[in-house]
Amino acid sequence: SIDIAIEGSHLGNSYFAAKRGVRLKELLDYVAIAPDEADIENIYVKRKSVAATQRRNLLESIDRLERSILTAPARSDAEASIRQQESTLISQFITNARKAVPDGRVVVSENTQVANIRLEDGDIIVIPYKSDVITVSGEVKIPQSIVFSSGASINDYIVRAGGYTERADTRSIIIRKPNGQIVTTGEIRPGDELLVFPKIATKNFQFAKDILSIVFQIAATSKAVGII
């Protein structure tokens, strides 16, 4: 048998011992919910093996960035001084990035359909609570949760959160769905989270690309976004 945990909006047992090879929909048949509270369209699974892979990939990206800093050439004393300043800032970023802990989230729901995946020992099935708010965070002046308004655009929510900060990259905004899915365009739905990323303050394009890649990895795999 394998052990499966249930988190979020459900009634009754939080732990199940199931036969090996059981699939998601089979186990969900035994989970009681309150239909008015449970957001069954955004169910997701947290899996240890996926979290380990996400963590390994993140650390590999961080290590590559660190090696790039150490081997970056400087053609003059002035450029060497700039590189030293950049190195200090990026080292601080690396220190914070290493603290991010991926949650191993597996997106199993999309367009009201739930994938009937095979479950693994230690999986955590998360049934989110229904939400009527949109969370706006990152580089906005007043990060907050705002009541969902039908037809409102991304910019409408940004304005209601005080607008962009001076550090905001207005072209780097992602929508994180309640099930963990990351999209950059599309309709805003209740429970969504808008994340506004900062501009990458470095003159070296390769560094900027690497840093942005790491930031997106962290945003997609964990709740830690305030790392820069």
Side-chain angles (χ1 to χ4, degrees), residues 112-144:
T112 73
Q113 299 296 316
V114 177
N116 195 24
I117 66 169
R118 187 186 302 272
L119 296 175
E120 296 181 2
D121 186 42
D123 278 356
I124 301 173
I125 300 171
V126 183
I127 306 173
Y129 288 90
K130 286 184 177 179
S131 174
D132 294 320
V133 302
I134 303 299
T135 301
V136 186
S137 58
E139 293 301 324
V140 292
K141 293 180 180 177
I142 312 173
Q144 60 181 296

Coordinates of all heavy atoms in Angstrom, one line a residue, residues 112-144:
T112 N -11.5 22.6 -16.4 CA -12.5 21.8 -15.6 C -12.2 20.3 -15.7 O -13.0 19.5 -15.1 CB -13.9 22.0 -16.1 OG1 -14.2 21.4 -17.4 CG2 -14.2 23.5 -16.2
Q113 N -11.2 19.8 -16.4 CA -10.8 18.4 -16.5 C -9.7 18.1 -15.5 O -8.7 18.8 -15.4 CB -10.4 18.1 -17.9 CG -11.6 18.3 -18.9 CD -12.8 17.4 -18.7 OE1 -12.7 16.2 -18.4 NE2 -14.0 18.1 -18.8
V114 N -9.8 16.9 -14.9 CA -8.7 16.5 -14.0 C -8.1 15.2 -14.6 O -8.8 14.3 -14.9 CB -9.3 16.1 -12.6 CG1 -8.2 15.6 -11.7 CG2 -9.9 17.4 -11.9
A115 N -6.8 15.3 -14.7 CA -6.0 14.1 -15.3 C -6.0 13.0 -14.3 O -5.7 13.2 -13.1 CB -4.6 14.5 -15.6
N116 N -6.3 11.8 -14.7 CA -6.4 10.6 -13.8 C -5.0 10.0 -13.7 O -4.8 8.8 -14.1 CB -7.4 9.6 -14.4 CG -7.8 8.6 -13.4 OD1 -7.7 8.8 -12.2 ND2 -8.2 7.4 -13.8
I117 N -4.0 10.7 -13.1 CA -2.7 10.2 -13.0 C -2.5 9.1 -12.0 O -3.3 9.0 -11.0 CB -1.7 11.4 -12.7 CG1 -1.9 11.9 -11.3 CG2 -1.8 12.4 -13.8 CD1 -0.8 12.9 -10.9
R118 N -1.5 8.3 -12.1 CA -1.2 7.3 -11.1 C -0.5 8.0 -9.9 O 0.4 8.8 -10.1 CB -0.2 6.3 -11.7 CG 0.1 5.1 -10.8 CD 1.2 4.2 -11.4 NE 0.7 3.7 -12.8 CZ 0.0 2.6 -13.0 NH1 -0.3 1.8 -11.9 NH2 -0.3 2.2 -14.2
L119 N -0.9 7.7 -8.7 CA -0.4 8.3 -7.5 C 0.8 7.6 -7.0 O 1.0 6.4 -7.3 CB -1.5 8.3 -6.4 CG -2.7 9.2 -6.8 CD1 -3.8 9.1 -5.7 CD2 -2.3 10.7 -7.0
E120 N 1.7 8.3 -6.3 CA 2.9 7.7 -5.7 C 2.8 7.9 -4.2 O 2.1 8.7 -3.7 CB 4.2 8.5 -6.3 CG 4.4 8.3 -7.7 CD 5.7 9.0 -8.2 OE1 6.4 9.6 -7.3 OE2 6.0 9.0 -9.4
D121 N 3.6 7.0 -3.6 CA 3.7 7.0 -2.1 C 4.1 8.4 -1.6 O 5.1 9.0 -2.1 CB 4.7 6.0 -1.6 CG 4.6 5.9 -0.1 OD1 3.6 5.9 0.5 OD2 5.7 5.7 0.5
G122 N 3.4 9.0 -0.7 CA 3.8 10.3 -0.2 C 3.2 11.5 -0.9 O 3.4 12.6 -0.5
D123 N 2.4 11.2 -2.0 CA 1.7 12.3 -2.7 C 0.8 13.1 -1.7 O 0.2 12.5 -0.8 CB 0.9 11.8 -3.9 CG 1.8 11.5 -5.1 OD1 3.0 11.9 -5.0 OD2 1.2 11.0 -6.1
I124 N 0.6 14.4 -2.0 CA -0.3 15.2 -1.3 C -1.3 15.8 -2.3 O -0.9 16.5 -3.2 CB 0.4 16.3 -0.5 CG1 1.4 15.8 0.5 CG2 -0.7 17.2 0.2 CD1 2.2 16.8 1.2
I125 N -2.6 15.4 -2.1 CA -3.6 16.0 -3.0 C -4.1 17.2 -2.4 O -4.6 17.2 -1.2 CB -4.7 14.9 -3.3 CG1 -4.2 13.6 -3.9 CG2 -5.8 15.5 -4.1 CD1 -5.2 12.5 -3.9
V126 N -4.1 18.3 -3.1 CA -4.5 19.6 -2.6 C -5.8 20.0 -3.3 O -5.8 20.1 -4.5 CB -3.5 20.7 -2.7 CG1 -4.0 22.0 -2.1 CG2 -2.2 20.2 -2.1
I127 N -6.9 20.3 -2.5 CA -8.1 20.8 -3.0 C -8.3 22.2 -2.6 O -8.6 22.4 -1.4 CB -9.3 19.9 -2.6 CG1 -9.1 18.4 -2.9 CG2 -10.6 20.4 -3.2 CD1 -10.1 17.5 -2.3
P128 N -8.0 23.2 -3.4 CA -8.1 24.6 -3.0 C -9.5 25.0 -2.5 O -10.5 24.4 -3.0 CB -7.6 25.4 -4.2 CG -6.9 24.4 -5.1 CD -7.6 23.1 -4.8
Y129 N -9.5 26.0 -1.6 CA -10.8 26.6 -1.3 C -11.2 27.6 -2.4 O -10.3 28.2 -3.0 CB -10.7 27.4 0.0 CG -10.6 26.5 1.2 CD1 -9.3 26.1 1.7 CD2 -11.7 26.1 1.9 CE1 -9.2 25.3 2.9 CE2 -11.6 25.3 3.1 CZ -10.4 24.9 3.5 OH -10.3 24.1 4.6
K130 N -12.5 27.7 -2.7 CA -12.9 28.7 -3.7 C -12.6 30.1 -3.2 O -12.6 30.4 -2.0 CB -14.4 28.5 -3.9 CG -14.8 27.3 -4.7 CD -16.3 27.3 -5.0 CE -16.7 26.1 -5.8 NZ -18.2 26.0 -6.1
S131 N -12.2 30.9 -4.1 CA -11.8 32.3 -3.7 C -12.4 33.3 -4.6 O -12.7 33.0 -5.8 CB -10.2 32.4 -3.9 OG -9.8 33.7 -3.6
D132 N -12.7 34.4 -4.1 CA -13.3 35.5 -4.8 C -12.3 36.7 -5.0 O -12.8 37.8 -5.3 CB -14.6 36.0 -4.1 CG -15.7 35.0 -4.1 OD1 -15.9 34.3 -5.1 OD2 -16.4 34.9 -3.1
V133 N -11.1 36.5 -4.8 CA -10.1 37.5 -4.8 C -9.0 37.3 -5.8 O -8.7 36.1 -6.2 CB -9.5 37.8 -3.4 CG1 -10.5 38.1 -2.4 CG2 -8.6 36.6 -3.0
I134 N -8.3 38.3 -6.2 CA -7.1 38.3 -7.0 C -6.0 38.8 -6.2 O -6.1 39.9 -5.6 CB -7.3 39.1 -8.3 CG1 -8.5 38.7 -9.1 CG2 -6.0 39.1 -9.2 CD1 -8.4 37.3 -9.6
T135 N -4.9 38.1 -6.1 CA -3.7 38.5 -5.3 C -2.7 39.2 -6.3 O -2.4 38.6 -7.3 CB -3.1 37.4 -4.6 OG1 -4.0 36.8 -3.7 CG2 -1.9 37.9 -3.7
V136 N -2.3 40.4 -5.9 CA -1.3 41.1 -6.7 C -0.1 41.3 -5.9 O -0.1 41.9 -4.8 CB -1.9 42.5 -7.2 CG1 -0.9 43.2 -8.2 CG2 -3.2 42.3 -7.9
S137 N 1.1 40.8 -6.4 CA 2.3 40.9 -5.6 C 3.5 41.1 -6.5 O 3.3 41.2 -7.7 CB 2.5 39.6 -4.8 OG 2.5 38.5 -5.7
G138 N 4.6 41.2 -5.9 CA 5.8 41.6 -6.7 C 6.1 43.1 -6.7 O 5.8 43.8 -5.7
E139 N 6.4 43.6 -7.8 CA 6.8 45.0 -8.0 C 5.6 45.9 -8.2 O 5.5 46.5 -9.2 CB 7.9 45.1 -9.1 CG 9.2 44.5 -8.8 CD 9.8 45.0 -7.5 OE1 9.7 46.2 -7.2 OE2 10.5 44.2 -6.7
V140 N 4.7 45.9 -7.2 CA 3.6 46.9 -7.2 C 3.7 47.7 -5.9 O 4.3 47.2 -4.9 CB 2.2 46.2 -7.3 CG1 2.1 45.6 -8.7 CG2 2.1 45.2 -6.2
K141 N 3.2 48.9 -5.9 CA 3.3 49.7 -4.7 C 2.6 49.3 -3.5 O 3.0 49.4 -2.3 CB 2.9 51.2 -5.1 CG 3.8 51.8 -6.1 CD 3.4 53.2 -6.4 CE 4.3 53.9 -7.5 NZ 3.8 55.2 -7.9
I142 N 1.4 48.6 -3.7 CA 0.7 48.2 -2.5 C 0.2 46.7 -2.8 O -0.9 46.5 -3.2 CB -0.6 49.0 -2.3 CG1 -0.2 50.5 -2.3 CG2 -1.3 48.7 -1.0 CD1 -1.4 51.5 -2.3
P143 N 1.1 45.7 -2.6 CA 0.7 44.3 -2.8 C -0.5 44.0 -1.9 O -0.5 44.3 -0.7 CB 2.0 43.6 -2.4 CG 3.1 44.6 -2.5 CD 2.5 45.9 -2.1
Q144 N -1.5 43.4 -2.5 CA -2.7 43.1 -1.8 C -3.6 42.1 -2.5 O -3.4 41.8 -3.7 CB -3.5 44.4 -1.5 CG -3.9 45.1 -2.7 CD -4.7 46.4 -2.4 OE1 -5.7 46.4 -1.8 NE2 -4.1 47.5 -2.8

